[in-house]
Amino acid sequence: MGHHSCCNQQKVKRGLWSPEEDEKLIRYITTHGYGCWSEVPEKAGLQRCGKSCRLRWINYLRPDIRRGRFTPEEEKLIISLHGAVGNRWAHIASHLPGRTDNEIKNYWNSWIKKKIRKPSSITTPSSTLLLPNNNIITPNNNNTTNNSSDPQQPQFNFTTNQLENIINHHHPPPPQDNFITTKLPSQIQDSIFTPPISTGPMFMFDTNNNHQLFQENTISSWPMMVQTTTFTMGLDSTNNNYLPPLIDNNMVAQHADTDIQCSNINDHVVEGQITLDDHQLNQWVQETNDEQCPNGFLFWDQSDHHQGQTIGGEELQESLPSNTTSNMGALLSYPSPL
DNA sequence: AAGTATTGCAACCGCGCAGTC
DNA sequence: GGACTGCGCGGTTGCAATACT
Protein backbone atom coordinates (compact mmCIF):
# COMPACT_ATOMS: atom_id res chain seq x y z
CA MET A 1 0.00 0.00 0.00
CA GLY A 2 1.13 3.53 -0.53
CA HIS A 3 0.71 6.76 -2.32
CA HIS A 4 -0.06 6.41 -5.94
CA SER A 5 1.08 9.08 -8.29
CA CYS A 6 -1.74 8.80 -10.77
CA CYS A 7 -4.68 9.22 -8.48
CA ASN A 8 -3.38 10.75 -5.25
CA GLN A 9 -4.98 8.04 -3.22
CA GLN A 10 -3.17 7.18 -0.05
CA LYS A 11 -4.36 3.66 0.54
CA VAL A 12 -3.70 2.03 -2.78
CA LYS A 13 -2.72 -1.56 -3.12
CA ARG A 14 -0.27 -2.54 -5.80
CA GLY A 15 1.09 -5.71 -7.19
CA LEU A 16 -0.66 -8.92 -8.00
CA TRP A 17 -4.40 -9.10 -7.71
CA SER A 18 -5.92 -11.53 -5.29
CA PRO A 19 -8.87 -13.74 -6.28
CA GLU A 20 -11.04 -11.71 -3.92
CA GLU A 21 -10.12 -8.48 -5.65
CA ASP A 22 -10.78 -10.05 -9.02
CA GLU A 23 -14.16 -11.16 -7.84
CA LYS A 24 -15.06 -7.69 -6.59
CA LEU A 25 -14.03 -6.11 -9.85
CA ILE A 26 -15.86 -8.64 -11.97
CA ARG A 27 -18.99 -8.32 -9.89
CA TYR A 28 -18.97 -4.56 -10.07
CA ILE A 29 -18.28 -4.26 -13.78
CA THR A 30 -20.70 -6.93 -14.87
CA THR A 31 -23.47 -5.16 -13.02
CA HIS A 32 -22.53 -1.51 -13.47
CA GLY A 33 -20.19 -1.33 -16.41
CA TYR A 34 -17.12 0.82 -16.32
CA GLY A 35 -18.11 4.27 -17.42
CA CYS A 36 -15.55 6.04 -15.28
CA TRP A 37 -12.56 4.04 -14.19
CA SER A 38 -11.59 6.49 -11.53
CA GLU A 39 -14.86 5.75 -9.74
CA VAL A 40 -14.61 2.00 -10.06
CA PRO A 41 -12.27 1.28 -7.13
CA GLU A 42 -14.37 3.07 -4.58
CA LYS A 43 -17.67 1.74 -5.85
CA ALA A 44 -16.33 -1.76 -6.17
CA GLY A 45 -14.77 -1.67 -2.74
CA LEU A 46 -11.24 -2.00 -3.99
CA GLN A 47 -8.18 -0.29 -2.63
CA ARG A 48 -6.72 0.11 -6.05
CA CYS A 49 -6.41 3.01 -8.39
CA GLY A 50 -8.69 3.27 -11.37
CA LYS A 51 -5.88 2.66 -13.74
CA SER A 52 -5.00 -0.58 -12.09
CA CYS A 53 -8.63 -1.70 -12.25
CA ARG A 54 -8.85 -0.83 -15.89
CA LEU A 55 -5.67 -2.74 -16.67
CA ARG A 56 -6.76 -5.77 -14.72
CA TRP A 57 -10.09 -5.85 -16.48
CA ILE A 58 -8.80 -5.25 -19.96
CA ASN A 59 -5.81 -7.53 -19.78
CA TYR A 60 -7.13 -10.33 -17.68
CA LEU A 61 -10.68 -10.35 -16.45
CA ARG A 62 -12.92 -9.36 -19.30
CA PRO A 63 -14.95 -12.29 -20.50
CA ASP A 64 -14.02 -12.19 -24.17
CA ILE A 65 -10.35 -12.53 -23.50
CA ARG A 66 -8.54 -15.33 -25.17
CA ARG A 67 -5.80 -17.15 -23.38
CA GLY A 68 -3.16 -19.64 -24.25
CA ARG A 69 -0.53 -19.87 -26.86
CA PHE A 70 -0.77 -17.87 -30.00
CA THR A 71 -1.76 -19.94 -32.95
CA PRO A 72 0.53 -19.99 -35.96
CA GLU A 73 -2.01 -17.86 -37.77
CA GLU A 74 -1.97 -15.31 -35.00
CA GLU A 75 1.80 -15.31 -34.95
CA LYS A 76 1.96 -14.72 -38.65
CA LEU A 77 -0.50 -11.93 -38.35
CA ILE A 78 1.43 -10.28 -35.56
CA ILE A 79 4.63 -10.42 -37.52
CA SER A 80 3.02 -9.06 -40.60
CA LEU A 81 1.25 -6.33 -38.75
CA HIS A 82 4.33 -5.37 -36.82
CA GLY A 83 6.17 -5.06 -40.07
CA ALA A 84 3.49 -2.73 -41.23
CA VAL A 85 2.67 -0.59 -38.24
CA GLY A 86 5.58 -1.03 -35.87
CA ASN A 87 5.05 -1.07 -32.14
CA ARG A 88 1.47 0.00 -32.25
CA TRP A 89 0.37 -2.84 -30.06
CA ALA A 90 -3.16 -1.67 -29.59
CA HIS A 91 -3.59 -1.49 -33.32
CA ILE A 92 -2.15 -4.95 -33.77
CA ALA A 93 -4.35 -6.27 -31.01
CA SER A 94 -7.41 -4.88 -32.73
CA HIS A 95 -6.80 -7.41 -35.49
CA LEU A 96 -6.64 -10.32 -33.08
CA PRO A 97 -9.94 -10.77 -31.31
CA GLY A 98 -9.56 -11.61 -27.67
CA ARG A 99 -5.90 -10.77 -27.55
CA THR A 100 -4.60 -7.80 -25.64
CA ASP A 101 -1.97 -5.34 -26.63
CA ASN A 102 -0.04 -6.31 -23.53
CA GLU A 103 -0.02 -9.94 -24.46
CA ILE A 104 1.11 -9.21 -27.99
CA LYS A 105 3.76 -6.85 -26.77
CA ASN A 106 5.07 -9.48 -24.38
CA TYR A 107 5.06 -12.06 -27.10
CA TRP A 108 6.92 -9.83 -29.46
CA ASN A 109 9.51 -8.77 -26.94
CA SER A 110 10.28 -12.30 -25.89
CA TRP A 111 10.49 -13.32 -29.51
CA ILE A 112 12.92 -10.51 -30.20
CA LYS A 113 15.02 -11.63 -27.29
CA LYS A 114 15.18 -15.11 -28.64
CA LYS A 115 16.38 -13.78 -31.93
CA ILE A 116 19.02 -11.60 -30.35
CA ARG A 117 20.24 -14.33 -28.13
CA LYS A 118 21.16 -16.51 -31.04
CA PRO A 119 24.88 -17.11 -30.74
CA SER A 120 27.66 -15.35 -32.50
CA SER A 121 26.90 -16.74 -35.88
CA ILE A 122 26.33 -13.30 -37.20
CA THR A 123 29.38 -11.98 -38.88
CA THR A 124 29.28 -8.90 -36.81
CA PRO A 125 31.99 -6.40 -36.89
CA SER A 126 32.46 -4.92 -33.46
CA SER A 127 29.61 -6.72 -31.80
CA THR A 128 26.67 -5.12 -33.42
CA LEU A 129 23.43 -6.97 -33.64
CA LEU A 130 20.59 -6.51 -35.96
CA LEU A 131 17.11 -6.76 -34.70
CA PRO A 132 14.41 -8.17 -36.85
CA ASN A 133 12.91 -4.76 -37.23
CA ASN A 134 16.18 -3.54 -38.60
CA ASN A 135 17.34 -1.77 -35.55
CA ILE A 136 20.92 -2.03 -34.59
CA ILE A 137 21.97 -2.66 -31.07
CA THR A 138 25.35 -1.55 -29.97
CA PRO A 139 26.11 -2.86 -26.53
CA ASN A 140 28.16 0.13 -25.53
CA ASN A 141 25.36 2.57 -25.36
CA ASN A 142 22.46 0.19 -25.55
CA ASN A 143 20.89 2.46 -28.05
CA THR A 144 18.79 1.21 -30.82
CA THR A 145 19.34 3.09 -33.94
CA ASN A 146 17.95 2.89 -37.33
CA ASN A 147 19.36 4.27 -40.44
CA SER A 148 16.35 6.23 -41.08
CA SER A 149 13.33 5.70 -39.04
CA ASP A 150 11.77 5.77 -35.68
CA PRO A 151 11.07 2.17 -34.76
CA GLN A 152 7.63 3.23 -33.72
CA GLN A 153 6.87 4.32 -37.17
CA PRO A 154 5.40 2.06 -39.76
CA GLN A 155 7.95 0.37 -41.87
CA PHE A 156 5.69 0.37 -44.85
CA ASN A 157 3.66 2.96 -46.46
CA PHE A 158 0.52 0.93 -46.57
CA THR A 159 -2.76 2.48 -45.98
CA THR A 160 -4.92 0.75 -43.45
CA ASN A 161 -7.09 -0.61 -46.18
CA GLN A 162 -4.16 -2.00 -48.07
CA LEU A 163 -2.91 -3.67 -44.96
CA GLU A 164 -6.21 -5.21 -44.18
CA ASN A 165 -6.53 -6.43 -47.70
CA ILE A 166 -3.22 -8.14 -47.44
CA ILE A 167 -4.10 -9.67 -44.15
CA ASN A 168 -7.47 -10.83 -45.26
CA HIS A 169 -6.08 -12.34 -48.41
CA HIS A 170 -8.26 -10.15 -50.51
CA HIS A 171 -7.26 -8.47 -53.64
CA PRO A 172 -5.76 -5.22 -52.68
CA PRO A 173 -6.91 -1.86 -53.78
CA PRO A 174 -4.99 -0.15 -56.49
CA PRO A 175 -1.90 1.64 -55.32
CA GLN A 176 -2.78 5.07 -54.21
CA ASP A 177 0.10 6.50 -52.31
CA ASN A 178 3.44 7.63 -53.50
CA PHE A 179 5.04 4.34 -52.82
CA ILE A 180 4.13 2.75 -56.07
CA THR A 181 4.09 4.95 -59.02
CA THR A 182 2.63 4.66 -62.41
CA LYS A 183 6.08 3.83 -63.65
CA LEU A 184 5.59 0.35 -62.38
CA PRO A 185 4.25 -2.14 -64.83
CA SER A 186 0.91 -3.35 -63.64
CA GLN A 187 2.14 -6.90 -63.43
CA ILE A 188 4.77 -5.85 -60.98
CA GLN A 189 2.39 -3.75 -59.02
CA ASP A 190 0.20 -6.79 -58.70
CA SER A 191 3.07 -8.87 -57.50
CA ILE A 192 3.85 -6.30 -54.88
CA PHE A 193 0.42 -5.92 -53.55
CA THR A 194 -0.77 -9.45 -54.01
CA PRO A 195 1.78 -11.47 -52.17
CA PRO A 196 1.22 -15.18 -52.37
CA ILE A 197 0.15 -15.79 -48.87
CA SER A 198 -1.99 -18.80 -49.37
CA THR A 199 0.53 -21.11 -47.80
CA GLY A 200 3.27 -20.53 -45.32
CA PRO A 201 4.06 -17.39 -43.48
CA MET A 202 4.32 -14.21 -45.33
CA PHE A 203 6.92 -11.78 -44.32
CA MET A 204 7.24 -8.22 -45.24
CA PHE A 205 10.45 -6.52 -44.67
CA ASP A 206 11.87 -3.18 -45.01
CA THR A 207 14.93 -1.35 -44.00
CA ASN A 208 14.69 2.17 -45.10
CA ASN A 209 10.99 2.61 -45.16
CA ASN A 210 10.86 2.33 -48.86
CA HIS A 211 12.09 -1.14 -49.45
CA GLN A 212 9.82 -3.98 -49.16
CA LEU A 213 9.87 -7.61 -49.81
CA PHE A 214 7.26 -10.21 -49.73
CA GLN A 215 8.35 -13.71 -49.49
CA GLU A 216 6.63 -16.93 -49.01
CA ASN A 217 8.08 -19.40 -46.65
CA THR A 218 9.13 -21.73 -49.37
CA ILE A 219 11.30 -19.73 -51.54
CA SER A 220 11.07 -21.91 -54.57
CA SER A 221 7.34 -21.68 -54.65
CA TRP A 222 7.32 -18.14 -55.69
CA PRO A 223 9.48 -16.41 -58.20
CA MET A 224 11.44 -14.23 -55.95
CA MET A 225 10.73 -10.65 -56.40
CA VAL A 226 13.10 -8.22 -54.97
CA GLN A 227 12.37 -4.67 -55.37
CA THR A 228 14.93 -2.61 -57.04
CA THR A 229 14.64 0.77 -55.66
CA THR A 230 16.25 4.07 -55.90
CA PHE A 231 16.20 5.97 -52.74
CA THR A 232 17.63 9.09 -51.37
CA MET A 233 18.73 9.87 -47.94
CA GLY A 234 19.26 13.32 -46.67
CA LEU A 235 21.25 14.64 -43.82
CA ASP A 236 19.87 16.89 -41.18
CA SER A 237 22.46 19.58 -40.99
CA THR A 238 21.35 20.75 -37.57
CA ASN A 239 22.05 17.57 -35.69
CA ASN A 240 23.87 15.49 -38.22
CA ASN A 241 21.34 12.73 -38.17
CA TYR A 242 20.16 10.98 -41.19
CA LEU A 243 16.70 11.92 -42.14
CA PRO A 244 14.23 9.34 -43.20
CA PRO A 245 14.83 8.55 -46.80
CA LEU A 246 12.60 10.13 -49.27
CA ILE A 247 10.41 8.12 -51.47
CA ASP A 248 11.70 8.37 -54.92
CA ASN A 249 9.28 8.27 -57.75
CA ASN A 250 11.74 6.31 -59.75
CA MET A 251 11.07 3.25 -57.71
CA VAL A 252 10.83 0.16 -59.77
CA ALA A 253 10.46 -3.47 -59.09
CA GLN A 254 11.53 -6.44 -60.99
CA HIS A 255 12.35 -10.03 -60.61
CA ALA A 256 15.75 -10.48 -59.19
CA ASP A 257 18.13 -11.06 -61.99
CA THR A 258 20.92 -8.63 -61.53
CA ASP A 259 23.66 -7.83 -59.20
CA ILE A 260 23.73 -5.37 -56.42
CA GLN A 261 24.62 -1.94 -57.49
CA CYS A 262 24.88 1.30 -55.80
CA SER A 263 26.01 4.46 -57.29
CA ASN A 264 25.69 8.15 -57.51
CA ILE A 265 26.77 9.04 -54.07
CA ASN A 266 27.44 12.63 -53.49
CA ASP A 267 27.55 14.64 -50.35
CA HIS A 268 24.69 13.50 -48.25
CA VAL A 269 22.54 11.94 -50.85
CA VAL A 270 22.71 8.29 -51.55
CA GLU A 271 21.10 6.53 -54.35
CA GLY A 272 21.26 2.84 -54.49
CA GLN A 273 19.82 -0.07 -56.25
CA ILE A 274 19.42 -3.44 -54.76
CA THR A 275 18.55 -6.60 -56.49
CA LEU A 276 19.48 -10.17 -56.05
CA ASP A 277 19.76 -12.91 -58.52
CA ASP A 278 18.65 -16.40 -57.77
CA HIS A 279 22.10 -17.56 -56.90
CA GLN A 280 22.54 -14.84 -54.35
CA LEU A 281 19.19 -15.48 -52.99
CA ASN A 282 19.83 -19.17 -52.62
CA GLN A 283 23.11 -18.39 -51.02
CA TRP A 284 21.35 -16.27 -48.53
CA VAL A 285 18.74 -18.86 -47.89
CA GLN A 286 21.47 -21.42 -47.34
CA GLU A 287 23.16 -19.14 -44.90
CA THR A 288 19.96 -18.62 -43.12
CA ASN A 289 19.42 -22.31 -42.92
CA ASP A 290 22.91 -22.76 -41.65
CA GLU A 291 22.20 -20.12 -39.11
CA GLN A 292 25.06 -18.07 -40.29
CA CYS A 293 22.57 -15.37 -40.61
CA PRO A 294 20.19 -16.18 -37.81
CA ASN A 295 18.34 -12.98 -37.91
CA GLY A 296 17.39 -13.89 -41.35
CA PHE A 297 18.56 -11.01 -43.20
CA LEU A 298 21.28 -9.49 -45.02
CA PHE A 299 22.49 -6.16 -44.13
CA TRP A 300 25.13 -4.03 -45.45
CA ASP A 301 25.71 -0.63 -44.29
CA GLN A 302 28.51 1.59 -45.29
CA SER A 303 27.52 4.63 -43.42
CA ASP A 304 29.98 6.42 -41.25
CA HIS A 305 28.80 4.60 -38.23
CA HIS A 306 29.05 1.14 -39.64
CA GLN A 307 31.74 1.36 -42.15
CA GLY A 308 31.78 -1.54 -44.48
CA GLN A 309 29.67 -3.60 -42.25
CA THR A 310 28.02 -6.69 -43.43
CA ILE A 311 25.89 -8.90 -41.36
CA GLY A 312 25.29 -12.12 -43.12
CA GLY A 313 25.73 -12.67 -46.76
CA GLU A 314 29.42 -12.18 -47.22
CA GLU A 315 29.08 -12.85 -50.88
CA LEU A 316 26.82 -9.95 -51.17
CA GLN A 317 29.30 -7.74 -49.54
CA GLU A 318 31.77 -8.73 -52.19
CA SER A 319 29.28 -7.71 -54.77
CA LEU A 320 29.21 -4.20 -53.55
CA PRO A 321 31.31 -1.78 -55.44
CA SER A 322 34.35 -1.04 -53.42
CA ASN A 323 34.02 2.67 -53.79
CA THR A 324 30.70 2.87 -52.08
CA THR A 325 31.15 5.20 -49.20
CA SER A 326 27.84 6.05 -47.74
CA ASN A 327 24.88 4.37 -46.31
CA MET A 328 23.35 1.64 -48.30
CA GLY A 329 20.21 0.06 -47.20
CA ALA A 330 19.51 -3.44 -46.39
CA LEU A 331 16.64 -5.65 -46.87
CA LEU A 332 15.61 -8.84 -46.97
CA SER A 333 13.39 -11.52 -46.00
CA TYR A 334 12.86 -13.40 -42.93
CA PRO A 335 12.98 -17.02 -42.00
CA SER A 336 10.00 -18.53 -40.39
CA PRO A 337 10.10 -18.04 -36.67
CA LEU A 338 7.42 -20.62 -36.25
C1' DA B 1 19.25 -31.56 -4.71
C1' DA B 2 20.62 -26.92 -4.68
C1' DG B 3 21.87 -22.81 -6.70
C1' DT B 4 21.67 -19.90 -10.68
C1' DA B 5 19.97 -18.23 -14.99
C1' DT B 6 16.31 -17.57 -18.02
C1' DT B 7 11.63 -17.01 -19.39
C1' DG B 8 6.95 -15.45 -19.43
C1' DC B 9 3.85 -12.28 -18.32
C1' DA B 10 1.12 -9.40 -15.05
C1' DA B 11 1.38 -5.03 -13.52
C1' DC B 12 3.20 -0.44 -13.05
C1' DC B 13 4.90 4.04 -14.80
C1' DG B 14 4.96 8.06 -17.35
C1' DC B 15 3.62 10.42 -21.29
C1' DG B 16 0.46 12.31 -24.60
C1' DC B 17 -4.05 13.27 -26.01
C1' DA B 18 -8.76 14.73 -25.60
C1' DG B 19 -12.39 16.63 -23.11
C1' DT B 20 -14.00 19.89 -19.75
C1' DC B 21 -14.12 23.92 -17.01
C1' DG C 1 -5.80 29.86 -23.90
C1' DG C 2 -4.44 27.42 -19.77
C1' DA C 3 -5.17 24.22 -16.01
C1' DC C 4 -7.02 20.08 -14.73
C1' DT C 5 -8.61 15.35 -15.21
C1' DG C 6 -9.23 10.82 -17.07
C1' DC C 7 -8.00 7.54 -20.33
C1' DG C 8 -5.20 4.86 -23.44
C1' DC C 9 -0.87 3.54 -24.95
C1' DG C 10 3.91 1.90 -25.11
C1' DG C 11 7.96 1.03 -22.36
C1' DT C 12 9.64 -1.11 -18.48
C1' DT C 13 9.91 -3.65 -14.21
C1' DG C 14 9.36 -7.31 -10.93
C1' DC C 15 8.60 -11.75 -9.77
C1' DA C 16 7.02 -16.57 -10.00
C1' DA C 17 7.79 -20.50 -12.70
C1' DT C 18 10.79 -23.11 -15.26
C1' DA C 19 15.14 -24.58 -17.21
C1' DC C 20 19.77 -25.28 -16.72
C1' DT C 21 24.24 -26.39 -14.46
Side-chain angles (χ1 to χ4, degrees):
Chain A
M1 300 258 188
H3 176 79
H4 202 269
S5 60
C6 80
C7 49
N8 294 323
Q9 291 183 29
Q10 292 301 316
K11 290 175 67 178
V12 176
K13 190 177 175 224
R14 291 158 74 171
L16 293 178
W17 281 62
S18 68
E20 293 74 26
E21 287 178 307
D22 283 346
E23 192 186 333
K24 283 182 180 176
L25 185 59
I26 291 169
R27 194 184 306 138
Y28 176 80
I29 290 186
T30 51
T31 53
H32 298 92
Y34 52 87
C36 181
W37 282 110
S38 57
E39 294 174 359
V40 167
E42 190 184 343
K43 292 185 175 176
L46 288 163
Q47 291 179 326
R48 295 269 181 177
C49 77
K51 249 182 160 176
S52 182
C53 293
R54 175 186 163 271
L55 207 65
R56 183 65 179 169
W57 177 259
I58 288 175
N59 285 340
Y60 202 83
L61 296 177
R62 65 186 164 96
D64 60 333
I65 211 151
R66 198 174 160 187
R67 317 221 124 255
R69 272 185 60 88
F70 285 97
T71 66
E73 288 73 25
E74 286 176 316
E75 289 177 332
K76 280 181 274 180
L77 191 51
I78 291 167
I79 293 161
S80 297
L81 285 163
H82 189 272
V85 304
N87 293 358
R88 293 173 59 196
W89 306 117
H91 180 88
I92 294 171
S94 70
H95 289 273
L96 288 99
R99 299 293 190 181
T100 68
D101 53 356
N102 206 39
E103 196 176 9
I104 293 167
K105 179 171 59 185
N106 284 335
Y107 162 74
W108 182 265
N109 287 337
S110 59
W111 184 69
I112 293 286
K113 282 178 189 168
K114 280 179 193 165
K115 286 290 168 189
I116 294 172
R117 212 180 299 111
K118 286 246 184 173
S120 56
S121 47
I122 308 178
T123 57
T124 48
S126 64
S127 63
T128 304
L129 292 182
L130 254 188
L131 295 179
N133 62 354
N134 303 316
N135 287 336
I136 300 164
I137 285 186
T138 307
N140 289 340
N141 53 17
N142 200 30
N143 274 348
T144 58
T145 58
N146 187 302
N147 285 333
S148 59
S149 60
D150 182 341
Q152 295 228 43
Q153 295 306 307
Q155 296 181 5
F156 296 94
N157 294 326
F158 291 130
T159 66
T160 302
N161 284 342
Q162 284 170 335
L163 182 62
E164 287 179 352
N165 276 320
I166 289 167
I167 290 161
N168 295 328
H169 300 202
H170 292 154
H171 288 296
Q176 52 189 320
D177 55 27
N178 64 353
F179 188 35
I180 299 300
T181 75
T182 53
K183 292 182 179 181
L184 286 177
S186 60
Q187 185 181 355
I188 293 171
Q189 289 185 14
D190 286 344
S191 67
I192 291 171
F193 283 104
T194 315
I197 52 181
S198 56
T199 60
M202 177 192 72
F203 297 104
M204 307 181 292
F205 243 84
D206 170 289
T207 295
N208 277 328
N209 273 6
N210 54 355
H211 298 287
Q212 68 171 12
L213 176 68
F214 295 116
Q215 182 195 333
E216 221 179 351
N217 194 31
T218 311
I219 209 142
S220 60
S221 63
W222 185 40
M224 189 63 190
M225 189 209 72
V226 177
Q227 187 165 315
T228 304
T229 178
T230 300
F231 60 91
T232 59
M233 180 170 285
L235 192 74
D236 180 352
S237 58
T238 59
N239 58 18
N240 242 25
N241 287 333
Y242 275 108
L243 295 170
L246 306 172
I247 299 294
D248 191 302
N249 285 341
N250 197 31
M251 188 173 290
V252 295
Q254 64 184 41
H255 286 83
D257 57 5
T258 63
D259 207 338
I260 297 171
Q261 300 172 356
C262 59
S263 59
N264 198 17
I265 298 162
N266 55 70
D267 291 332
H268 303 307
V269 176
V270 178
E271 293 181 352
Q273 290 192 317
I274 305 167
T275 57
L276 295 176
D277 63 23
D278 288 343
H279 170 74
Q280 290 168 326
L281 197 59
N282 288 334
Q283 173 72 22
W284 172 76
V285 171
Q286 187 61 47
E287 286 172 355
T288 299
N289 291 340
D290 292 343
E291 296 205 329
Q292 292 174 23
C293 184
N295 279 336
F297 65 106
L298 300 166
F299 183 89
W300 64 98
D301 181 343
Q302 301 195 340
S303 69
D304 291 341
H305 298 297
H306 308 94
Q307 188 74 33
Q309 168 180 329
T310 298
I311 298 174
E314 293 87 344
E315 283 209 355
L316 286 164
Q317 183 182 37
E318 293 169 10
S319 303
L320 282 168
S322 58
N323 61 352
T324 309
T325 58
S326 191
N327 178 66
M328 185 67 193
L331 68 153
L332 280 199
S333 65
Y334 213 75
S336 171
L338 310 177

